Amino acid sequence: MKPIKSTLLAASMLGGLAAMHGPALAQNVLTLNTVQIFGTIDPSRINDYTEYMAGVNLYDALVTVDAGGNITPQLAERWDVSDDARTFTFHLKPDAKFQDGSPVEAKDVVYSLQRLLALNEGPSYLFAGTVETDGVKAVDARTVEFTLNNTYAPFLSTLPILFVINSDVALENTAGDDWASAFIADNPIGAGPYSLKSWERGARMNLTRFEDYHTGWHDGALDELRFIVSTDEATLRAMAANGELTMTSQYSASETYDALAKTDRFKVVEKPGFTAFYMKLNNRVAPTDDVHIRRAIACATDYDTIREVILPGVLLRGPMPEAFGDFVEQGLAEPKFDLQCARDEIAQSKYAGQGKIPIEHAYVAGTKFEEEIALLFKSIMEPLGFDVTLAPEPWNRITERAATIETTPAVTQVFFGPTYPSPDSMFFTQYHSNAVGTWSSMEWVQDPKVDEMIDKGRATADPAEQAEIYKELQRYLVEQQSDVYLLTQTVRHGMDKCLDGFEPVPMQSFAYDFSRYSWTCDN
């Protein structure tokens, strides 16, 4: 969508915002803009924030996670763990049902894991090598048992991602397609709180409430969810002005939040989050294959302008946000904007004295604050001797480019938060050699020392030992300048004053399980 450039139109929109009164849409309808498309709703293939947003509303798992990072029952009512932490036995709720009315059974959990491992996409990397296809079995209709290959400390915390698929429906739709991929791509067959009403790919998606949801519904629960894909700030403000919007994405521009806050209908909710914002540096392509160039970029980053003017956020010293508490290495130095440091590092690099150094900086097209950061990067780096190519790309193109070392840009702006509520999520997904080839791992670190530390952290169930391993890992990643650590995101949403329920959750998009939200006003 092309930006609306008319000053008169923008002014009239802001005037309309200030004059708004009364609730928008129906009492129980939420309309939210997203800044990227829903690439897939197949729970075995999802891998980014919009796809997980769809997943958590269309499907349920054995367990879920709350705002405190605690694992809580969902389709399972309880579970047992063996003394050696290798066998996990889950007991399903007797009243859990899929959206076609059939009961959720242990065989469905078995099928869901086996399908995930067979397709080897999406969150499969969390389970591959940890549990084999024959390591999960249905003890009886309501009991499912996982036997792990080895002790794996984060296992329970990864299970909210194992969304459970209705195996009977899947098996009925496997003609020429062993895992019903074509069918599940368009037809969610889960036990989640919402059903798919319509999906205009690349533009919008509508979900409606599943009335027989196994947890029941509270007063003020949302009946319908409308997701509209838009990154254009003028369009967003127009949607708010005409009553179409009830909640913004977390990636809106500051002026949009300011405009909404001046209205009678919106509040701006700000809460500290678990998501870090990086410039991911490809450690395997020129010129960021040189640690001195990576350090030079870090020294030449104007952190204060980015955090205080362009995108409000808090200090990030390394790869892990402060919200992880005792697992965070507190001895890391605060990143500083220091041009002399940048010059000194460039002089030590293998690219010194070779003329202008070409470098590509990618970001999500149409996202204003990322464009501003990219322009700031260019304005600082070019006087230092770089030839900067800015590459605004749609998100799906960025994810495609991340698939290989050669196509991954030298520098890419990326938000990354925990995919599951464990410190391991911040490290394995981004930095382990077994997790490369996705937007999460655009650094292409591929360092045996890093792999060894991550594996050690995963293998111990002792939190104190785990914390020391992760602190050593943070020190090493900062020394190697895996990324430029820009900030920890302060999550902001413009929300209708009648809408409640937003709480940051340390798991990708689980804050947007809209069955937890409420509409608090009467129409």
Side-chain angles (χ1 to χ4, degrees), residues 430-443:
Q430 296 192 92
Y431 304 116
H432 199 285
S433 296
N434 290 345
V436 296
T438 77
W439 64 270
S440 305
S441 56
M442 295 176 82
E443 297 87 351

Side-chain angles (χ1 to χ4, degrees), residues 21 117 206 305 315 355 372 424 458 461 473 479 503 512:
H21 294 278
L117 292 174
N206 288 2
T305 297
L315 175 66
E372 291 175 352
D424 177 73
R458 303 183 114 204
L473 177 56
E479 177 189 344
E503 292 290 343
Y512 308 106

Side-chain angles (χ1 to χ4, degrees), residues 202-233:
R204 62 186 65 232
M205 178 185 291
N206 288 2
L207 309 183
T208 55
R209 189 165 89 178
F210 172 41
E211 292 297 339
D212 292 330
Y213 185 48
H214 62 92
T215 68
W217 290 98
H218 56 271
D219 291 341
L222 302 176
D223 289 320
E224 185 170 349
L225 313 177
R226 299 174 183 173
F227 304 116
I228 297 176
V229 181
S230 178
T231 61
D232 183 70
E233 299 295 332

Side-chain angles (χ1 to χ4, degrees), residues 111 167 169-181 183:
Y111 177 88
S167 60
V169 175
L171 291 169
E172 290 168 1
N173 290 276
T174 56
D177 180 357
D178 289 345
W179 295 105
S181 293
F183 180 79

Side-chain angles (χ1 to χ4, degrees), residues 14-15 57 74 76 125 142 186 195 198 219 231 242 248 297 309 338 374 390 398 417 419 443 474 491 509 522:
L14 289 173
N57 286 289
Q74 195 169 60
Y125 67 90
R142 284 185 49 211
D186 296 315
S195 306
S198 62
D219 291 341
T231 61
N242 67 24
T248 70
I297 294 170
V309 179
D338 184 341
L390 298 184
I398 287 178
T419 311
E443 297 87 351
Q474 290 165 72
V491 185
S509 292
D522 294 327

Side-chain angles (χ1 to χ4, degrees), residues 410-421:
V411 183
T412 310
Q413 294 180 46
V414 173
F415 286 92
F416 183 83
T419 311
Y420 46 99

